Amino acid sequence: MTTEIRITADEAKRLKNDTAFKQFMQSVRDDQLRLFADSSASDVDVREDAHAILRAVNQIEITLDAALAAEVILDRKQRN
C-alpha cells in the first residue's frame, strides 16, 4: 500500500509538472469555455457537453492533487 501511494504520487507529480500535459489540459479547458461562451440559447446540448468535459478536466486535477495529498498524509503518519 505504501509503495503504491508513493508510485501514484510520483506519477501525479510528473504529470502536474509536465509542460505538454499542462498545455493540453489548458487547451481542452479553453476550447470548452469557448464553446460554452459562443453557444446560442438553443445549443443546450453543446453547453451540457462542454460543462461535462470541464468537470472531467477538473476531476483529473482533483485526482492528481489527491494522490499528492495521500503521500503527504503517509509521510506524516510515518513520522509519528
Side-chain angles (χ1 to χ4, degrees):
M1 180 73 162
T2 299
T3 304
E4 183 179 319
I5 290 171
R6 293 203 187 281
I7 290 171
T8 302
D10 285 344
E11 291 170 346
K13 284 177 202 168
R14 195 168 38 256
L15 281 174
K16 285 187 67 96
N17 292 323
D18 184 90
T19 303
F21 178 75
K22 290 191 288 189
Q23 289 173 346
F24 170 76
M25 295 290 279
Q26 190 60 51
S27 175
V28 171
R29 182 177 278 114
D30 292 345
D31 289 346
Q32 297 312 308
L33 288 171
R34 189 171 39 266
L35 282 172
F36 194 89
D38 293 344
S39 65
S40 65
S42 62
D43 290 336
V44 175
D45 289 340
V46 170
R47 284 192 304 279
E48 285 182 1
D49 288 346
H51 182 252
I53 292 168
L54 285 169
R55 287 178 48 111
V57 168
N58 288 338
Q59 188 60 48
I60 291 167
E61 291 175 343
I62 289 168
T63 301
L64 293 173
D65 290 340
L68 298 175
E71 184 178 45
V72 169
I73 292 168
L74 177 65
D75 289 343
R76 288 182 182 166
K77 283 182 179 180
Q78 288 181 343
R79 274 189 248 142
N80 293 333

